[in-house]
Amino acid sequence: MKKIYTLLALFITINTTSLRAADYLLEAESFISKGGWVVDQQFMDIMGSPYLMAHGMGVPVAGAKTKITLPVAATYHVYVRTFNWTSPWLKGKGPGKFNVCIAGKKLNTILGDSGTEWVWQYAGQVSIHSLDTTVELHDLTGFNGRCDAIFFTTEEGKVPPSNQLELACFRKRIHNRPENPDSAGEFDLIVVGGGIAGISTAVSAARLGCKVALINDRPILGGNNSSEIRVHLGGRIGVGPYKELGNLQKEFGPLREGNAKPAEYYEDEKKDKIVKDEKNITLFASYRAVKVETESSNITMITAEHIENGNELLFSAPLFADCTGDGTIGFLAGAHWRMGREAQCEFGEETAPQVTDNMTMGSSVQWYSIDMDRSIKFPDFSYGIIFDEENCEKVDMGEWTWETGMNYNQIDDFERIRDYGLLVVYSNWSFLKNKSADKEKYKNKKLDWLAYMAGKRESRRLIGDYILKESDLRKFLVHEDGTAATTWTIDLHYPDPENSKHFPDTEFKSIAKHTAIYPYPIPYRCLYSRNINNLFMAGRNISVTHIALGTTRVMRTTGMMGEVVGMAASLCKKYNEKPRGIYWYYLDELKDLMDSGVGNSKLPNNQQYNQGNMLID
């Protein structure tokens, strides 16, 4: 009998030990049914992961639901990684409230409304009798509650790490992710970033015989010109020394102009079709590049992670093009870069400030309302920014001028920048609807669209063999390697002085100052890195000063840069050369390709494609 008791005690000890070790991590972005919650990957570099967000504009969104298989049937302690997003402006309970429901049982703890950073919040405990169970997220407000992950543990008090590096290791270990991910395949060119520049780069190279991988961290192509952000295409095509550049954009550019318009204006399907119709392009949608490996000043490998399922793929090729806007690939590879404003004395730029500083152009969170012909309520929303009759914006939409973050780091502080954009829209709209003397005017208005993807203008600029500067543009110093013509004014944004009167140091409106230029051919040497031998760049992250960026950053211009990069990549393949070598040895052949173009020249260049901005012809 004593022997039986000993064996039973041993069994209980072993079983208890296994229960204490039972952990399960559920990534919120992997939910099977997301309901009305959206996947937000913009800040993976800051907080370590994509997350789900309840972007309901004041109306609770439909619940997200998924199925999981837990390791053992037991009582679990549940922790949720979440963030009280209004905490930078109000030290109190925030609006992003939600509950978790497990196996049909609601855990009563309200999540997402406390703390001052991304934290593991204790949600409660639940007894699980069946290994296969369901998990649901129930939004309570529609005001951007956010859930990164849900951790189940049988060990009371056991909480995953909060430090980003430690958490990344924890995630890799608990998900048992392979040390060596699968290869994505063999390619001649890897293009990272699926905005207008990235699409143009990929299609141009593909049509000239390169096998291309296009990596885009959203399910939708188009970047700032997509239905997620809704910025119109600026700049002209069909001008400058190479008038065939830009024909490609006639094939996939939307026919209608305007910022903050209904989704159909941006014709996402055309961008998707042109990429998928090219047999030499493989599109990796919803993959974000997270790691870069180099050897002897060359990129050898990129690791990209799927923003929903966490799957990783390895990408290798002789050539890479950074079309991310943020210069992410160049930064991770150790490329030289700048951010902020240069002093006048560095390049002799008369528009530059006297002293170097970190100011950038900001990011816009655009929005609009619609008239519903009936009374529409909007919740009272007041979380640290107070509006009144004197400082409110009596408008029913906001486009590019609703711009934030000029005095913050557009990489490290980007979540705060975007969140402030949301905060001021909600706060102002709440005042107009509920307290304004003109509230009767807004009674039937409904907040119908508000971007949660912020439209960014400026961050890192990768340095090439030449840095384009203001004197080049204004004195028209044309270089032998001039390529696509930039036609927009030198268009620089600053905090709106009127807005600053009411919101000093927390402005959310901007003004633009324009300097007209002649169409100026951008030097090819601005389109490749000076110290990473096999790295091209196209987009707002090319080699320019802050002042020069004012003209080169608009999307028809960045699209033409992409065409040129695709052409140069095809010559690199043809001659087994690096980007710099094309300038040294094959510039004439690149000029021939630019003369011919890769787009359909028979499509009409309608007025909307020809639109400029105070251009000197």
Side-chain angles (χ1 to χ4, degrees), residues 37-38 51-56 61 82-85 95-98 111-113 118 137 139-148 422 426:
W37 296 67
V38 295
Y51 56 81
L52 284 188
M53 184 167 67
H55 186 57
V61 304
T82 185
F83 175 44
N84 174 19
W85 67 272
K97 302 175 183 180
F98 65 99
L111 304 164
D113 67 341
W118 279 97
L137 298 178
D139 175 34
L140 300 176
T141 66
F143 283 125
N144 298 84
R146 49 202 71 176
C147 178
D148 173 32
L422 297 176
Y426 288 144

mmCIF file of all heavy atoms in Angstrom, residues 37-38 51-56 61 82-85 95-98 111-113 118 137 139-148 422 426:
data_model
loop_
_atom_site.group_PDB
_atom_site.id
_atom_site.type_symbol
_atom_site.label_atom_id
_atom_site.label_comp_id
_atom_site.label_asym_id
_atom_site.label_seq_id
_atom_site.Cartn_x
_atom_site.Cartn_y
_atom_site.Cartn_z
ATOM 1 N N TRP A 37 -12.124 44.720 -36.168
ATOM 2 C CA TRP A 37 -10.776 45.099 -35.754
ATOM 3 C C TRP A 37 -9.845 45.098 -36.965
ATOM 4 O O TRP A 37 -10.016 44.302 -37.887
ATOM 5 C CB TRP A 37 -10.246 44.135 -34.696
ATOM 6 C CG TRP A 37 -10.997 44.138 -33.401
ATOM 7 C CD1 TRP A 37 -12.286 43.713 -33.207
ATOM 8 C CD2 TRP A 37 -10.529 44.568 -32.123
ATOM 9 N NE1 TRP A 37 -12.644 43.853 -31.889
ATOM 10 C CE2 TRP A 37 -11.588 44.375 -31.195
ATOM 11 C CE3 TRP A 37 -9.328 45.084 -31.667
ATOM 12 C CZ2 TRP A 37 -11.456 44.694 -29.846
ATOM 13 C CZ3 TRP A 37 -9.190 45.400 -30.324
ATOM 14 C CH2 TRP A 37 -10.245 45.214 -29.423
ATOM 15 N N VAL A 38 -8.860 45.988 -36.958
ATOM 16 C CA VAL A 38 -7.921 46.090 -38.076
ATOM 17 C C VAL A 38 -6.518 45.724 -37.611
ATOM 18 O O VAL A 38 -6.164 45.899 -36.441
ATOM 19 C CB VAL A 38 -7.920 47.508 -38.673
ATOM 20 C CG1 VAL A 38 -9.274 47.833 -39.292
ATOM 21 C CG2 VAL A 38 -7.528 48.562 -37.631
ATOM 22 N N TYR A 51 -0.524 44.601 -34.247
ATOM 23 C CA TYR A 51 -1.575 44.388 -33.256
ATOM 24 C C TYR A 51 -2.936 44.615 -33.902
ATOM 25 O O TYR A 51 -3.043 45.125 -35.023
ATOM 26 C CB TYR A 51 -1.387 45.281 -32.032
ATOM 27 C CG TYR A 51 -1.299 46.771 -32.261
ATOM 28 C CD1 TYR A 51 -2.434 47.554 -32.442
ATOM 29 C CD2 TYR A 51 -0.061 47.416 -32.248
ATOM 30 C CE1 TYR A 51 -2.350 48.920 -32.610
ATOM 31 C CE2 TYR A 51 0.041 48.783 -32.425
ATOM 32 C CZ TYR A 51 -1.099 49.536 -32.604
ATOM 33 O OH TYR A 51 -1.013 50.900 -32.772
ATOM 34 N N LEU A 52 -3.981 44.215 -33.182
ATOM 35 C CA LEU A 52 -5.347 44.498 -33.617
ATOM 36 C C LEU A 52 -5.845 45.772 -32.944
ATOM 37 O O LEU A 52 -5.570 46.008 -31.759
ATOM 38 C CB LEU A 52 -6.288 43.348 -33.257
ATOM 39 C CG LEU A 52 -6.224 42.078 -34.105
ATOM 40 C CD1 LEU A 52 -7.358 41.138 -33.714
ATOM 41 C CD2 LEU A 52 -6.283 42.377 -35.597
ATOM 42 N N MET A 53 -6.599 46.573 -33.712
ATOM 43 C CA MET A 53 -7.119 47.829 -33.185
ATOM 44 C C MET A 53 -8.590 47.978 -33.560
ATOM 45 O O MET A 53 -8.994 47.682 -34.684
ATOM 46 C CB MET A 53 -6.303 49.002 -33.739
ATOM 47 C CG MET A 53 -6.717 50.351 -33.180
ATOM 48 S SD MET A 53 -5.508 51.648 -33.546
ATOM 49 C CE MET A 53 -5.688 51.763 -35.333
ATOM 50 N N ALA A 54 -9.371 48.457 -32.601
ATOM 51 C CA ALA A 54 -10.815 48.636 -32.799
ATOM 52 C C ALA A 54 -11.076 50.044 -33.318
ATOM 53 O O ALA A 54 -11.436 50.950 -32.564
ATOM 54 C CB ALA A 54 -11.561 48.399 -31.492
ATOM 55 N N HIS A 55 -10.906 50.213 -34.625
ATOM 56 C CA HIS A 55 -11.008 51.536 -35.241
ATOM 57 C C HIS A 55 -12.450 51.776 -35.688
ATOM 58 O O HIS A 55 -12.793 51.654 -36.864
ATOM 59 C CB HIS A 55 -10.047 51.620 -36.428
ATOM 60 C CG HIS A 55 -9.962 52.975 -37.055
ATOM 61 N ND1 HIS A 55 -9.618 54.101 -36.340
ATOM 62 C CD2 HIS A 55 -10.179 53.392 -38.331
ATOM 63 C CE1 HIS A 55 -9.622 55.147 -37.150
ATOM 64 N NE2 HIS A 55 -9.966 54.742 -38.361
ATOM 65 N N GLY A 56 -13.295 52.138 -34.717
ATOM 66 C CA GLY A 56 -14.714 52.295 -35.000
ATOM 67 C C GLY A 56 -15.190 53.730 -35.068
ATOM 68 O O GLY A 56 -16.379 53.968 -35.250
ATOM 69 N N VAL A 61 -16.840 48.267 -32.600
ATOM 70 C CA VAL A 61 -16.723 47.428 -33.795
ATOM 71 C C VAL A 61 -17.136 45.995 -33.474
ATOM 72 O O VAL A 61 -17.190 45.585 -32.302
ATOM 73 C CB VAL A 61 -15.284 47.445 -34.356
ATOM 74 C CG1 VAL A 61 -14.836 48.864 -34.646
ATOM 75 C CG2 VAL A 61 -14.304 46.746 -33.394
ATOM 76 N N THR A 82 -1.473 45.382 -23.973
ATOM 77 C CA THR A 82 -2.302 46.446 -24.506
ATOM 78 C C THR A 82 -1.699 47.799 -24.143
ATOM 79 O O THR A 82 -0.661 47.870 -23.476
ATOM 80 C CB THR A 82 -3.748 46.326 -23.985
ATOM 81 O OG1 THR A 82 -4.564 47.306 -24.610
ATOM 82 C CG2 THR A 82 -3.804 46.474 -22.472
ATOM 83 N N PHE A 83 -2.351 48.869 -24.595
ATOM 84 C CA PHE A 83 -1.792 50.207 -24.417
ATOM 85 C C PHE A 83 -2.920 51.225 -24.285
ATOM 86 O O PHE A 83 -3.840 51.262 -25.106
ATOM 87 C CB PHE A 83 -0.912 50.547 -25.627
ATOM 88 C CG PHE A 83 -0.349 51.952 -25.641
ATOM 89 C CD1 PHE A 83 0.184 52.529 -24.502
ATOM 90 C CD2 PHE A 83 -0.355 52.693 -26.810
ATOM 91 C CE1 PHE A 83 0.714 53.816 -24.531
ATOM 92 C CE2 PHE A 83 0.166 53.984 -26.852
ATOM 93 C CZ PHE A 83 0.702 54.549 -25.703
ATOM 94 N N ASN A 84 -2.854 52.035 -23.254
ATOM 95 C CA ASN A 84 -3.768 53.156 -23.063
ATOM 96 C C ASN A 84 -3.260 54.315 -23.916
ATOM 97 O O ASN A 84 -2.447 55.129 -23.481
ATOM 98 C CB ASN A 84 -3.823 53.544 -21.580
ATOM 99 C CG ASN A 84 -4.640 54.783 -21.324
ATOM 100 O OD1 ASN A 84 -5.451 55.196 -22.135
ATOM 101 N ND2 ASN A 84 -4.409 55.395 -20.161
ATOM 102 N N TRP A 85 -3.765 54.421 -25.128
ATOM 103 C CA TRP A 85 -3.117 55.258 -26.138
ATOM 104 C C TRP A 85 -3.234 56.752 -25.896
ATOM 105 O O TRP A 85 -2.450 57.540 -26.456
ATOM 106 C CB TRP A 85 -3.639 54.896 -27.531
ATOM 107 C CG TRP A 85 -5.081 55.196 -27.826
ATOM 108 C CD1 TRP A 85 -6.157 54.401 -27.595
ATOM 109 C CD2 TRP A 85 -5.596 56.379 -28.446
ATOM 110 N NE1 TRP A 85 -7.314 54.999 -28.024
ATOM 111 C CE2 TRP A 85 -7.005 56.225 -28.557
ATOM 112 C CE3 TRP A 85 -5.027 57.557 -28.932
ATOM 113 C CZ2 TRP A 85 -7.827 57.191 -29.117
ATOM 114 C CZ3 TRP A 85 -5.850 58.525 -29.488
ATOM 115 C CH2 TRP A 85 -7.227 58.332 -29.579
ATOM 116 N N PRO A 95 -9.831 55.884 -23.535
ATOM 117 C CA PRO A 95 -11.062 55.488 -24.225
ATOM 118 C C PRO A 95 -10.994 54.127 -24.915
ATOM 119 O O PRO A 95 -12.028 53.626 -25.358
ATOM 120 C CB PRO A 95 -11.221 56.584 -25.275
ATOM 121 C CG PRO A 95 -9.814 56.955 -25.616
ATOM 122 C CD PRO A 95 -9.026 56.828 -24.343
ATOM 123 N N GLY A 96 -9.809 53.529 -25.036
ATOM 124 C CA GLY A 96 -9.677 52.311 -25.841
ATOM 125 C C GLY A 96 -10.029 51.056 -25.077
ATOM 126 O O GLY A 96 -9.223 50.138 -24.907
ATOM 127 N N LYS A 97 -11.258 50.922 -24.608
ATOM 128 C CA LYS A 97 -11.664 49.862 -23.690
ATOM 129 C C LYS A 97 -12.183 48.631 -24.429
ATOM 130 O O LYS A 97 -12.935 48.751 -25.392
ATOM 131 C CB LYS A 97 -12.744 50.383 -22.740
ATOM 132 C CG LYS A 97 -12.311 51.599 -21.928
ATOM 133 C CD LYS A 97 -13.456 52.147 -21.109
ATOM 134 C CE LYS A 97 -13.028 53.407 -20.346
ATOM 135 N NZ LYS A 97 -14.144 53.959 -19.547
ATOM 136 N N PHE A 98 -11.828 47.460 -23.897
ATOM 137 C CA PHE A 98 -12.350 46.208 -24.453
ATOM 138 C C PHE A 98 -12.270 45.101 -23.407
ATOM 139 O O PHE A 98 -11.584 45.234 -22.382
ATOM 140 C CB PHE A 98 -11.594 45.812 -25.730
ATOM 141 C CG PHE A 98 -10.135 45.483 -25.534
ATOM 142 C CD1 PHE A 98 -9.704 44.161 -25.432
ATOM 143 C CD2 PHE A 98 -9.174 46.483 -25.477
ATOM 144 C CE1 PHE A 98 -8.368 43.842 -25.260
ATOM 145 C CE2 PHE A 98 -7.824 46.185 -25.311
ATOM 146 C CZ PHE A 98 -7.428 44.861 -25.202
ATOM 147 N N LEU A 111 -9.948 46.267 -20.256
ATOM 148 C CA LEU A 111 -8.574 46.330 -20.746
ATOM 149 C C LEU A 111 -8.382 47.559 -21.629
ATOM 150 O O LEU A 111 -9.327 48.077 -22.215
ATOM 151 C CB LEU A 111 -8.242 45.067 -21.540
ATOM 152 C CG LEU A 111 -8.449 43.747 -20.784
ATOM 153 C CD1 LEU A 111 -8.472 42.572 -21.749
ATOM 154 C CD2 LEU A 111 -7.352 43.563 -19.741
ATOM 155 N N GLY A 112 -7.141 48.013 -21.712
ATOM 156 C CA GLY A 112 -6.779 49.065 -22.658
ATOM 157 C C GLY A 112 -6.982 50.478 -22.184
ATOM 158 O O GLY A 112 -6.732 51.419 -22.948
ATOM 159 N N ASP A 113 -7.416 50.685 -20.948
ATOM 160 C CA ASP A 113 -7.721 52.042 -20.493
ATOM 161 C C ASP A 113 -6.805 52.528 -19.384
ATOM 162 O O ASP A 113 -7.037 53.595 -18.813
ATOM 163 C CB ASP A 113 -9.171 52.135 -20.014
ATOM 164 C CG ASP A 113 -9.440 51.337 -18.747
ATOM 165 O OD1 ASP A 113 -8.633 50.428 -18.434
ATOM 166 O OD2 ASP A 113 -10.454 51.605 -18.069
ATOM 167 N N TRP A 118 3.003 50.231 -23.472
ATOM 168 C CA TRP A 118 2.558 48.872 -23.761
ATOM 169 C C TRP A 118 2.888 47.983 -22.561
ATOM 170 O O TRP A 118 4.052 47.870 -22.161
ATOM 171 C CB TRP A 118 3.252 48.343 -25.014
ATOM 172 C CG TRP A 118 2.602 48.840 -26.281
ATOM 173 C CD1 TRP A 118 2.980 49.903 -27.039
ATOM 174 C CD2 TRP A 118 1.452 48.267 -26.910
ATOM 175 N NE1 TRP A 118 2.132 50.040 -28.114
ATOM 176 C CE2 TRP A 118 1.179 49.058 -28.068
ATOM 177 C CE3 TRP A 118 0.619 47.184 -26.635
ATOM 178 C CZ2 TRP A 118 0.120 48.779 -28.930
ATOM 179 C CZ3 TRP A 118 -0.439 46.914 -27.491
ATOM 180 C CH2 TRP A 118 -0.682 47.697 -28.626
ATOM 181 N N LEU A 137 -12.516 39.081 -28.736
ATOM 182 C CA LEU A 137 -12.262 40.445 -28.281
ATOM 183 C C LEU A 137 -13.548 41.234 -28.440
ATOM 184 O O LEU A 137 -14.120 41.287 -29.541
ATOM 185 C CB LEU A 137 -11.148 41.099 -29.101
ATOM 186 C CG LEU A 137 -9.762 40.456 -29.052
ATOM 187 C CD1 LEU A 137 -8.802 41.220 -29.958
ATOM 188 C CD2 LEU A 137 -9.226 40.406 -27.629
ATOM 189 N N ASP A 139 -15.004 44.894 -28.243
ATOM 190 C CA ASP A 139 -14.754 46.338 -28.170
ATOM 191 C C ASP A 139 -15.892 47.022 -27.427
ATOM 192 O O ASP A 139 -17.070 46.706 -27.632
ATOM 193 C CB ASP A 139 -14.622 46.886 -29.598
ATOM 194 C CG ASP A 139 -14.481 48.389 -29.638
ATOM 195 O OD1 ASP A 139 -13.874 48.944 -28.712
ATOM 196 O OD2 ASP A 139 -14.980 48.999 -30.608
ATOM 197 N N LEU A 140 -15.562 47.985 -26.576
ATOM 198 C CA LEU A 140 -16.579 48.665 -25.776
ATOM 199 C C LEU A 140 -16.852 50.095 -26.213
ATOM 200 O O LEU A 140 -17.862 50.683 -25.792
ATOM 201 C CB LEU A 140 -16.156 48.666 -24.298
ATOM 202 C CG LEU A 140 -15.968 47.282 -23.660
ATOM 203 C CD1 LEU A 140 -15.467 47.431 -22.229
ATOM 204 C CD2 LEU A 140 -17.255 46.481 -23.703
ATOM 205 N N THR A 141 -15.979 50.684 -27.049
ATOM 206 C CA THR A 141 -16.128 52.112 -27.341
ATOM 207 C C THR A 141 -15.990 52.482 -28.815
ATOM 208 O O THR A 141 -16.503 53.523 -29.229
ATOM 209 C CB THR A 141 -15.075 52.936 -26.568
ATOM 210 O OG1 THR A 141 -13.762 52.609 -27.075
ATOM 211 C CG2 THR A 141 -15.140 52.662 -25.079
ATOM 212 N N GLY A 142 -15.260 51.727 -29.584
ATOM 213 C CA GLY A 142 -14.951 52.132 -30.960
ATOM 214 C C GLY A 142 -13.825 53.139 -31.047
ATOM 215 O O GLY A 142 -13.521 53.651 -32.131
ATOM 216 N N PHE A 143 -13.177 53.424 -29.935
ATOM 217 C CA PHE A 143 -12.114 54.424 -29.904
ATOM 218 C C PHE A 143 -10.724 53.786 -29.814
ATOM 219 O O PHE A 143 -9.963 54.047 -28.895
ATOM 220 C CB PHE A 143 -12.342 55.418 -28.768
ATOM 221 C CG PHE A 143 -13.395 56.456 -29.057
ATOM 222 C CD1 PHE A 143 -14.470 56.627 -28.198
ATOM 223 C CD2 PHE A 143 -13.311 57.256 -30.192
ATOM 224 C CE1 PHE A 143 -15.443 57.583 -28.461
ATOM 225 C CE2 PHE A 143 -14.281 58.213 -30.455
ATOM 226 C CZ PHE A 143 -15.350 58.385 -29.593
ATOM 227 N N ASN A 144 -10.411 52.930 -30.762
ATOM 228 C CA ASN A 144 -9.050 52.478 -31.023
ATOM 229 C C ASN A 144 -8.397 51.702 -29.886
ATOM 230 O O ASN A 144 -7.182 51.800 -29.675
ATOM 231 C CB ASN A 144 -8.167 53.657 -31.438
ATOM 232 C CG ASN A 144 -8.662 54.285 -32.726
ATOM 233 O OD1 ASN A 144 -9.570 55.120 -32.696
ATOM 234 N ND2 ASN A 144 -8.130 53.864 -33.852
ATOM 235 N N GLY A 145 -9.189 50.907 -29.174
ATOM 236 C CA GLY A 145 -8.595 49.952 -28.256
ATOM 237 C C GLY A 145 -7.667 49.031 -29.014
ATOM 238 O O GLY A 145 -7.919 48.697 -30.173
ATOM 239 N N ARG A 146 -6.593 48.609 -28.380
ATOM 240 C CA ARG A 146 -5.604 47.816 -29.111
ATOM 241 C C ARG A 146 -5.125 46.621 -28.295
ATOM 242 O O ARG A 146 -4.907 46.711 -27.086
ATOM 243 C CB ARG A 146 -4.445 48.685 -29.574
ATOM 244 C CG ARG A 146 -3.834 49.575 -28.531
ATOM 245 C CD ARG A 146 -3.077 50.754 -29.143
ATOM 246 N NE ARG A 146 -3.965 51.739 -29.749
ATOM 247 C CZ ARG A 146 -3.550 52.900 -30.291
ATOM 248 N NH1 ARG A 146 -2.272 53.196 -30.292
ATOM 249 N NH2 ARG A 146 -4.407 53.742 -30.812
ATOM 250 N N CYS A 147 -4.995 45.508 -28.988
ATOM 251 C CA CYS A 147 -4.580 44.251 -28.363
ATOM 252 C C CYS A 147 -3.444 43.659 -29.167
ATOM 253 O O CYS A 147 -3.603 43.360 -30.353
ATOM 254 C CB CYS A 147 -5.756 43.279 -28.310
ATOM 255 S SG CYS A 147 -5.346 41.662 -27.596
ATOM 256 N N ASP A 148 -2.316 43.474 -28.529
ATOM 257 C CA ASP A 148 -1.140 42.902 -29.192
ATOM 258 C C ASP A 148 -1.118 41.388 -29.066
ATOM 259 O O ASP A 148 -0.911 40.676 -30.047
ATOM 260 C CB ASP A 148 0.129 43.501 -28.581
ATOM 261 C CG ASP A 148 1.385 42.824 -29.099
ATOM 262 O OD1 ASP A 148 1.394 42.383 -30.263
ATOM 263 O OD2 ASP A 148 2.363 42.717 -28.335
ATOM 264 N N LEU A 422 -5.252 61.075 -34.383
ATOM 265 C CA LEU A 422 -6.573 60.547 -34.024
ATOM 266 C C LEU A 422 -7.204 61.374 -32.902
ATOM 267 O O LEU A 422 -8.395 61.706 -32.945
ATOM 268 C CB LEU A 422 -6.451 59.089 -33.575
ATOM 269 C CG LEU A 422 -5.945 58.057 -34.589
ATOM 270 C CD1 LEU A 422 -5.815 56.694 -33.912
ATOM 271 C CD2 LEU A 422 -6.870 57.963 -35.793
ATOM 272 N N TYR A 426 -10.930 63.288 -33.107
ATOM 273 C CA TYR A 426 -12.035 62.897 -32.230
ATOM 274 C C TYR A 426 -12.449 64.040 -31.295
ATOM 275 O O TYR A 426 -13.644 64.288 -31.086
ATOM 276 C CB TYR A 426 -11.625 61.698 -31.379
ATOM 277 C CG TYR A 426 -11.511 60.380 -32.102
ATOM 278 C CD1 TYR A 426 -10.518 59.470 -31.749
ATOM 279 C CD2 TYR A 426 -12.395 60.028 -33.114
ATOM 280 C CE1 TYR A 426 -10.413 58.238 -32.393
ATOM 281 C CE2 TYR A 426 -12.295 58.811 -33.759
ATOM 282 C CZ TYR A 426 -11.293 57.914 -33.394
ATOM 283 O OH TYR A 426 -11.192 56.701 -34.027
#
